[in-house]
Structures are given as structure tokens and as C-alpha cells.
């Protein structure tokens, strides 16, 4: 695998061009020889981990060939290895899943029993992730030249982390990467030249981090050629932050000082190396931000920006209109596809429309298999699949090079860090091929009905949360006859909305405070990723309940039947996304209520906190 491009002040262009050619050639080679590379990757993983307890338990007995692996190893979900994960988290250092020591756990945004999943990782995985990052800009440079001549304004943040009872760090994958030497001590490289100093990214206070990164981005506005964040939701939060705080930022630019609310000494020191008194720039920012309309604010303030680098696939597609408004339609670029379990691939056509984004899986990252998905027509984009596979489904699993164009698959991965035939939960559709390596559209996460940021709420979880909440209505002889939900991203941060149709038999009206209690109970019942987004990251707004007129859900059924739904098979959707349906529901709202405070959340899993 090639290293990230190296540059120097004297011959930067030559080195960048040479490295780009090497990396593009690497992509050609591994996609052309995709099946050979995959067999080699699997053999390497199985040879390295031949004596681990998990593989011995299933009778692999040191075999490294694909045929034996497929015959004896089952496709699994998190619950199948949860007891092994718990042993490692509690300090068991024997070779349970992997021959190399587990260096930390990466906390997945998918949940198990309402808690983040813990994905084992090893030291060498950091290098593998860095290698995938090194592919991104050489690909991008084919479409947008001379990016090395400017900077990227990226809003990058670390999140809360904890330690397992056995002392291993447990944190999100990007927090792990930003805190690693691979990021902090990265070699000089024009492609990782950001407006945000490392100290501002690594600041654990989200307000100070956002403020200082925005200030640095404004001070270097002429040098900015690309802007972004990880998710579309995060970048929009940054723009809304600017909308709220620009007077303070302008004051700092004008005076060459930093707001007193920025108290982190390392952040202040790093920002002061960039910040100089600049009344002219302050006047310019003030004039633009004072205008009634914020349409095109990105291109107005950062006029050399060529594209926005954010994830807008899957549930993030709901933010595309807002991004288009703020950017005057700049290209929205999705560069890579990754998760806590494994980094997967890159987008080789980055300037395509968001709806056409296709990721090429890089065969060196892990061993990939695919379970065909037979989708039922439903009202949501959620796909429900059984947790365990029967023998026939197990035999249906296909290798990377054998997938068929147009078919949808659930992704299954085997990693160097101790996951074997692990069902990631992502549903992908084959869009085409790069040589012999397939290119996939990301369709959705299986079972997920609601998502604002990195949260993922499924129908069963929502049902249980509503069930817990309606107990507050019982003293008033009221109950919910029907409900549905949607993710409202017109507010920043976005928030969950539940539409409730009520049957009230009691003579005493239900007080507003009771509905607020219902809102909070629902939030308290949702998973830890949601609660972290509400309480710590502030990436999700307060949950809202809207009560609707009697007969509203009959109207909803009539609408669905008019669109062709079968009256015999119709069931109320628990999540709606289709704009006319949301409009219908909103037109019949009687009253609305918000959660009065944030739900409880602390880092770590519940059982760890109970041990303290």
C-alpha cells in the first residue's frame, strides 16, 4: 500500500504529482486483481489469527483457504460475540478474537440493547485507515486541479470517551484517529493543510472547539479551497453557529484578540499564531453576515471554495437542500465510506450528484462478502432482516467480485482486528464496476427509521419508547390510538417529531406538562447514541410531540391507498419522509410540546457506571 504523498517546499509539485500517479496506479492494480487480493487478505487474516479462541471454537483448525472458511464460520451479529467483547473489555488479555493485543474499542453508532457497540481494534489498523485517507486527494485532484495550493476548512471534533473496566479506551473511530500520532504528527502534506490547528480540533469543549475553528477559517478565508465536516449535519451546525456568533468573531478579527470564553490555553496559543488585527476583513465579514439573506454565505465569505466535502448519502441526504441554499449549489462531495468496524472504500467519481454517489470497495481493507437483500415494498427506506441466517441464506453469501449490478446486498466483513463474517448492517446496491471491483450506492442501515446525526433509532425501540411515555396519559383516561414520526431537519440541530392521535375519555384535559413528560420519557427510553447527541454533543434538538385531529390517520391511509397501497396490507408507517405526507400531518396539528430538558447520559456502558 503506498504511503500518503510527501512534499517539500522546494519540489512540492513534483512530489505531489508523483505520489498521485503511484496512488492512482495502486487503485488500478487492486481493483483489476480484486479477487486475488481478497483471497490473499483472507488468508493473511486467518494465518495471523490461526490460534485465537474464536476460530478454534468454530473448528477452523488453522485453515486459511476461502472454501473451509465459508464452510465452518457462521455469519454473525454483535450479539453473537458480545460475551467475547465483554471478556476483553473486562481485562482478559488472552487471544480471544485476535492474536495481536486489542489496543482500544471503537464505539459504533449502531446500538445493542440501547448501548453503543464496542468494536475491537489493533494498533496496525490506524495505519490501514491512514492509507485509505491517502487515496482521497489524488482521486479528487483528477477532477479539481491545484488543491494543494490552498487549505481545507474542515470542522472536525473529538467526542466523549471512556475506559473499559479492563482499562482500554472506548471512543468513536474519528476521535481515535484524530488523537493518534498518524493525525497529530502527520508529515507536511498540502492535502492535509487545514485552517484549524490540531489544538482546536482536539479541544474537548465543543463550544471552544467550534468557535476557534470558525475564527481560524474566517482569518484564512482567501486560502480556503474546500470546506467540509464529516456529516452534512455537522457542517450545517457550523454555519448556524456563525449565524449566531458572527458579532463576537468579527470583534476578535478586528482587534486581533480571542473571546474570553475561549479558556483552553493550548487553543488560545494556537489561534494567536494565526489571528492578527484585520479591520478590513472584520468589516467584510460583518457586512456579509448582516444581510437579510444568508443564501450563498459560503461562497460569499470563502470565495475560492470549489466544493463541500461532507457525507450526504443515506439519511444525510435530507440536508442537501439546506447545503445548496448556503453554498449557491457548490458540488457536494462524498469522498469515502467507512465505519467503526472497518474502512471500506472511496468514491472515484467525487463530482457526481449526491444521488449517484458510488463507493469502490478497496480490496486490501478487509475481506468482504455480501448477503442478497430481497426488499419488501414499504413506506420507509428501512429494511428489516432476521438476526441469524439459516443454512440457505448462509450459502447465498457472495464474494466481492461476484455481486450483480442492480442487486441490493447486506455488507459482511472479516477484519484484521478480530471480526469474522460480521454483519455490518449496511444495505448497498451495486451501481457498476471499476475494473473487477464493484461500486456500491449506500441505500440505508437495516431497521433504522429515524436519524438526525450519528443516531440510529429502529421501529422496535421507538415503539417501546412510546409505550413507556403513554403511561403518563393514563390518569386522564387518555391513550394514543395511532402515531408516526419523522426527522425534522428544518431546525438546526434537527429533532425527532412524533405525531399522536389521541382518544381522550376523561373529563379533565391533559395538561401541557404531562405531554412534556411524555417527550422526556421517550428520550430517556432511546439509545445512548441519541442521548449523547442531545445531552453532550448538542447535535440533536429536543423531541417534539404534535397532537393531531381525530381521523388524521384515516386520511393518511386514504392518501396511501390513492397512491396504490393495498387496503388489505396497509399498516400505519411508524416513520414518514415523503413531503406530501408530512404536510398532510402538519395541516392537522392541534397542539405541540417539546421535551423540557436533556435526557440523562454519561460516557461508557451502563454496567460500567454501576460498577463505580
Amino acid at each position: 500500500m503506498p504511503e500518503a504523498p510527501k512534499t517539500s517546499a522546494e519540489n512540492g509539485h513534483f512530489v505531489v504529482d508523483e505520489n498521485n500517479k503511484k496512488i492512482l496506479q495502486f487503485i488500478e492494480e487492486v481493483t483489476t486483481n480484486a479477487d486475488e487480493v481478497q483471497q490473499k487478505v483472507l488468508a493473511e487474516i486467518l494465518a495471523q489469527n490461526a490460534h485465537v479462541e474464536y476460530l478454534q471454537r468454530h473448528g477452523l483448525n488453522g485453515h486459511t483457504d476461502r472454501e473451509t472458511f465459508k464452510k465452518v464460520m457462521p455469519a454473525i451479529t454483535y450479539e453473537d460475540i458480545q460475551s467475547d467483547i465483554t471478556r476483553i473489555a473486562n481485562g482478559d488479555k488472552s487471544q480471544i478474537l485476535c492474536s495481536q493485543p486489542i489496543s482500544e474499542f471503537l464505539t459504533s453508532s449502531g446500538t445493542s440493547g440501547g448501548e453503543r457497540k464496542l468494536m475491537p481494534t489493533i494498533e496496525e489498523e490506524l495505519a490501514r485507515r491512514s492509507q485509505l485517507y491517502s487515496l482521497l486527494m489524488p482521486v479528487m485532484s483528477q477532477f479539481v486541479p491545484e488543491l494543494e495550493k490552498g487549505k481545507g476548512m474542515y470542522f472536525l471534533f473529538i467526542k466523549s470517551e471512556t475506559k473499559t473496566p479492563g482499562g482500554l479506551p472506548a471512543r468513536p473511530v474519528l476521535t481515535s484517529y484524530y488523537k493518534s500520532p498518524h493525525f497529530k504528527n502527520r508529515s507536511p502534506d498540502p492535502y492535509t493543510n487545514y485552517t484549524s490547528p490540531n489544538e482546536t480540533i482536539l479541544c474537548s469543549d465543543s463550544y471552544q472547539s467550534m468557535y476557534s475553528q470558525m475564527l481560524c477559517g474566517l482569518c484564512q478565508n482567501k486560502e480556503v479551497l474546500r470546506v467540509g465536516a464529516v456529516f452534512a449535519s455537522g457542517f450545517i451546525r457550523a454555519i448556524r453557529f456563525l449565524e449566531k456568533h458572527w458579532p463576537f468573531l468579527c470583534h476578535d478579527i478586528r482587534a486581533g484578540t480571542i473571546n474570553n470564553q475561549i479558556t483552553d490555553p493550548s487553543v488560545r496559543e494556537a489561534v494567536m499564531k494565526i489571528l492578527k488585527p484585520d479591520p478590513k476583513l472584520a468589516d467584510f465579514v460583518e457586512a456579509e453576515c448582516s444581510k437579510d439573506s444568508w443564501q450563498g454565505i459560503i461562497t460569499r465569505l470563502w470565495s475560492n471554495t470549489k466544493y463541500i466535502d461532507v457525507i450526504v448519502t443515506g439519511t444525510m441526504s435530507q440536508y442537501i437542500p439546506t447545503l445548496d441554499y448556503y453554498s449557491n449549489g457548490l458540488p457536494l462531495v462524498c469522498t469515502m465510506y467507512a465505519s467503526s468496524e472497518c474502512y471500506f472504500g472511496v468514491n472515484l467519481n467525487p463530482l457526481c450528484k449526491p444521488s449517484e454517489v458510488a463507493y469502490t470497495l478497496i480490496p486490501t481493507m478487509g475481506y468482504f462478502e455480501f448477503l442478497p437483500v430481497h426488499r419488501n415494498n414499504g413506506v420507509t427506506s428501512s429494511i428489516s432482516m432476521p438476526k441469524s441466517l439459516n443454512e440457505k441464506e448462509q450459502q447465498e453469501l457472495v464474494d466481492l467480485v461476484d455481486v450483480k449490478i442492480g442487486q441490493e446486498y447486506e455488507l459482511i466483513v472479516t477484519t484484521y482486528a478480530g471480526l469474522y463474517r460480521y454483519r455490518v448492517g449496511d444495505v448497498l446496491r451495486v451501481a457498476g464496476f471499476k475494473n473487477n471491483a464493484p461500486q456500491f450506492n449506500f441505500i440505508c442501515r437495516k431497521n433504522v427509521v429515524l436519524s438526525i446525526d450519528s443516531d440510529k433509532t429502529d421501529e422496535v425501540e421507538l415503539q417501546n419508547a412510546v409505550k413507556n411515555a403513554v403511561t403518563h396519559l393514563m390518569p386522564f383516561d387518555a391513550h394514543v390510538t395511532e402515531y408516526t414520526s419523522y426527522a425534522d431537519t428544518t431546525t438546526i440541530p434537527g429533532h425527532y417529531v412524533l405525531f399522536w392521535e389521541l382518544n381522550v375519555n376523561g373529563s379533565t384535559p391533559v395538561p401541557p406538562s404531562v405531554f412534556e413528560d411524555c417527550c422526556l420519557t421517550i428520550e430517556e427510553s432511546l439509545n445512548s447514541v441519541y442521548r449523547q447527541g442531545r445531552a453532550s454533543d448538542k447535535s440533536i434538538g429536543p423531541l417534539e410531540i404534535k397532537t393531531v385531529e381525530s381521523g388524521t390517520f384515516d386520511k393518511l391511509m386514504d392518501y396511501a391507498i390513492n397512491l396504490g397501497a393495498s387496503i388489505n396490507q396497509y399498516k400505519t408507517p411508524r416513520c414518514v419522509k415523503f413531503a406530501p405526507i408530512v404536510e398532510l400531518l402538519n395541516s392537522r396539528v392541534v397542539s405541540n410540546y417539546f421535551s423540557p430538558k436533556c435526557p440523562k447520559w454519561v460516557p461508557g456502558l451502563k454496567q460500567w457506571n454501576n460498577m463505580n
Side-chain angles (χ1 to χ4, degrees):
M1 189 76 173
E3 292 295 317
K6 304 287 192 299
T7 61
S8 66
E10 293 79 21
N11 59 358
H13 293 300
F14 171 77
V15 177
V16 166
D17 288 345
E18 283 302 305
N19 272 280
N20 286 358
K21 283 178 187 171
K22 286 179 188 173
I23 286 175
L24 295 174
Q25 182 57 38
F26 165 81
I27 293 171
E28 281 295 319
E29 289 171 6
V30 296
T31 54
T32 299
N33 304 308
D35 197 48
E36 294 91 326
V37 172
Q38 280 281 277
Q39 288 194 66
K40 189 181 287 187
V41 164
L42 179 63
E44 198 170 88
I45 291 171
L46 298 180
Q48 281 180 13
N49 299 308
H51 303 295
V52 303
E53 187 182 313
Y54 182 82
L55 295 182
Q56 294 287 343
R57 190 188 305 160
H58 287 285
L60 195 61
N61 297 328
H63 287 279
T64 61
D65 61 290
R66 186 151 62 183
E67 292 71 25
T68 308
F69 174 74
K70 284 172 173 279
K71 188 177 177 183
V72 304
M73 299 302 297
I76 59 165
T77 63
Y78 186 77
E79 286 68 28
D80 295 313
I81 53 170
Q82 195 159 10
S83 58
D84 293 314
I85 297 287
T86 300
R87 284 173 57 195
I88 300 167
N90 287 338
D92 189 332
K93 291 185 167 50
S94 52
Q95 295 184 355
I96 300 171
L97 294 173
C98 184
S99 63
Q100 294 186 45
I102 301 301
S103 56
E104 61 181 319
F105 285 107
L106 304 176
T107 53
S108 169
S109 59
T111 64
S112 174
E115 297 285 349
R116 285 182 179 273
K117 295 174 184 174
L118 299 174
M119 294 298 157
T121 192
I122 55 180
E123 204 65 49
E124 74 172 45
E125 277 297 292
L126 280 165
R128 195 168 282 110
R129 284 179 228 139
S130 297
Q131 287 169 343
L132 192 69
Y133 283 122
S134 77
L135 309 183
L136 304 180
M137 294 313 295
V139 170
M140 195 73 217
S141 294
Q142 297 175 102
F143 300 87
V144 184
E146 300 188 331
L147 286 171
E148 71 276 7
K149 293 184 177 178
K151 295 187 177 185
M153 183 180 71
Y154 285 79
F155 296 95
L156 308 175
F157 303 93
I158 60 168
K159 292 196 174 188
S160 303
E161 61 179 274
T162 187
K163 273 192 161 46
T164 71
L168 290 173
R171 53 197 179 188
V173 62
L174 289 172
T175 298
S176 165
Y177 181 69
Y178 298 148
K179 286 191 166 186
S180 74
H182 289 271
F183 180 80
K184 290 197 290 188
N185 306 328
R186 60 193 184 276
S187 303
D189 174 356
Y191 292 140
T192 57
N193 190 2
Y194 303 131
T195 56
S196 298
N198 286 356
E199 292 83 355
T200 64
I201 294 168
L202 297 171
C203 176
S204 58
D205 183 300
S206 59
Y207 176 88
Q208 293 189 55
S209 179
M210 179 74 87
Y211 189 97
S212 55
Q213 290 192 59
M214 182 63 76
L215 182 58
C216 291
L218 288 168
C219 288
Q220 302 168 83
N221 69 324
K222 293 296 182 192
E223 298 174 69
V224 171
L225 297 184
R226 53 199 170 101
V227 299
V230 178
F231 292 117
S233 55
F235 187 73
I236 291 169
R237 277 206 313 279
I239 299 303
R240 287 293 174 91
F241 183 92
L242 175 63
E243 210 166 345
K244 189 175 179 181
H245 297 95
W246 65 260
F248 301 104
L249 292 157
C250 286
H251 175 273
D252 288 356
I253 295 168
R254 185 171 281 112
T257 57
I258 311 175
N259 192 293
N260 288 335
Q261 286 186 283
I262 311 305
T263 56
D264 187 313
S266 65
V267 171
R268 292 184 70 88
E269 184 182 344
V271 173
M272 283 309 296
K273 292 176 182 174
I274 295 168
L275 182 62
K276 301 289 183 287
D278 193 339
K280 188 176 175 184
L281 176 59
D283 290 343
F284 167 71
V285 173
E286 186 174 42
E288 292 298 335
C289 293
S290 299
K291 291 178 180 173
D292 290 339
S293 172
W294 268 51
Q295 185 171 359
I297 193 67
I298 295 165
T299 47
R300 280 153 49 189
L301 292 178
W302 295 280
S303 57
N304 296 318
T305 303
K306 299 179 185 298
Y307 64 89
I308 302 176
D309 186 351
V310 288
I311 294 170
V312 287
T313 50
T315 57
M316 288 295 130
S317 62
Q318 60 198 338
Y319 295 101
I320 291 171
T322 308
L323 287 168
D324 285 342
Y325 175 81
Y326 282 132
S327 73
N328 270 341
L330 278 176
L332 303 176
V333 169
C334 302
T335 54
M336 68 182 285
Y337 171 39
S339 75
S340 306
E341 294 88 343
C342 182
Y343 277 25
F344 302 116
V346 296
N347 179 4
L348 297 181
N349 184 22
L351 292 187
C352 66
K353 294 176 185 173
S355 59
E356 296 171 359
V357 169
Y359 300 104
T360 303
L361 267 58
I362 301 300
T364 55
M365 299 308 295
Y367 180 68
F368 305 120
E369 295 175 273
F370 301 87
L371 174 66
V373 170
H374 307 292
R375 188 202 282 261
N376 297 320
N377 289 327
V379 182
T380 75
S381 63
S382 159
I383 294 179
S384 180
M385 282 176 275
K387 284 198 170 180
S388 59
L389 302 185
N390 59 37
E391 193 174 332
K392 179 177 177 292
E393 288 167 326
Q394 192 94 1
Q395 289 170 356
E396 282 186 342
L397 294 181
V398 297
D399 290 314
L400 182 67
V401 299
D402 294 328
V403 296
K404 307 296 183 193
I405 288 182
Q407 172 69 49
E408 291 183 0
Y409 297 91
E410 182 188 351
L411 174 60
I412 294 176
V413 66
T414 297
T415 72
Y416 286 88
L419 296 177
Y420 306 95
R421 304 194 99 180
Y422 182 85
R423 298 171 65 183
V424 175
D426 290 356
V427 177
L428 310 175
R429 182 187 296 127
V430 185
F433 280 80
K434 164 68 174 176
N435 298 320
N436 294 311
Q439 299 178 308
F440 294 95
N441 307 127
F442 178 90
I443 302 302
C444 65
R445 289 278 301 179
K446 64 177 183 180
N447 302 329
V448 172
V449 295
L450 282 173
S451 179
I452 292 291
D453 193 58
S454 56
D455 55 297
K456 297 176 176 70
T457 299
D458 66 32
E459 190 171 317
V460 174
E461 187 178 8
L462 183 64
Q463 175 80 38
N464 289 335
V466 170
K467 186 178 173 184
N468 292 340
V470 296
T471 57
H472 294 291
L473 302 177
M474 287 178 181
F476 302 91
D477 199 8
H479 64 274
V480 175
T481 57
E482 276 294 6
Y483 76 92
T484 191
S485 63
Y486 88 110
D488 184 354
T489 57
T490 60
T491 60
I492 299 296
H495 69 291
Y496 289 7
V497 176
L498 273 71
F499 294 98
W500 281 9
E501 187 171 321
L502 301 174
N503 184 353
V504 183
N505 296 315
S507 55
T508 306
V510 182
S513 61
V514 171
F515 285 111
E516 290 176 356
D517 289 342
C518 290
C519 292
L520 183 58
T521 298
I522 291 171
E523 293 200 299
E524 294 279 12
S525 303
L526 294 177
N527 61 68
S528 65
V529 183
Y530 174 89
R531 287 181 284 112
Q532 180 179 352
R534 278 280 285 122
S536 176
D537 303 337
K538 309 299 182 188
S539 59
I540 305 171
L543 181 138
E544 180 181 12
I545 289 175
K546 294 182 176 183
T547 64
V548 295
E549 297 171 23
S550 179
T552 294
F553 281 83
D554 290 337
K555 296 274 187 192
L556 183 61
M557 182 174 72
D558 292 342
Y559 185 87
I561 290 167
N562 285 337
L563 288 179
S566 164
I567 192 165
N568 295 319
Q569 294 179 310
Y570 175 82
K571 63 177 184 177
T572 303
R574 291 304 173 217
C575 176
V576 294
K577 297 175 183 177
F578 188 42
I581 290 179
V582 176
E583 287 170 20
L584 185 157
L585 291 164
N586 274 324
S587 72
R588 298 178 64 88
V589 170
V590 176
S591 56
N592 68 314
Y593 311 92
F594 287 92
S595 188
K597 60 183 181 180
C598 290
K600 297 185 191 73
W601 176 81
V602 289
L605 304 188
K606 281 178 187 171
Q607 60 264 36
W608 302 349
N609 297 315
N610 294 338
M611 292 169 69
N612 295 335

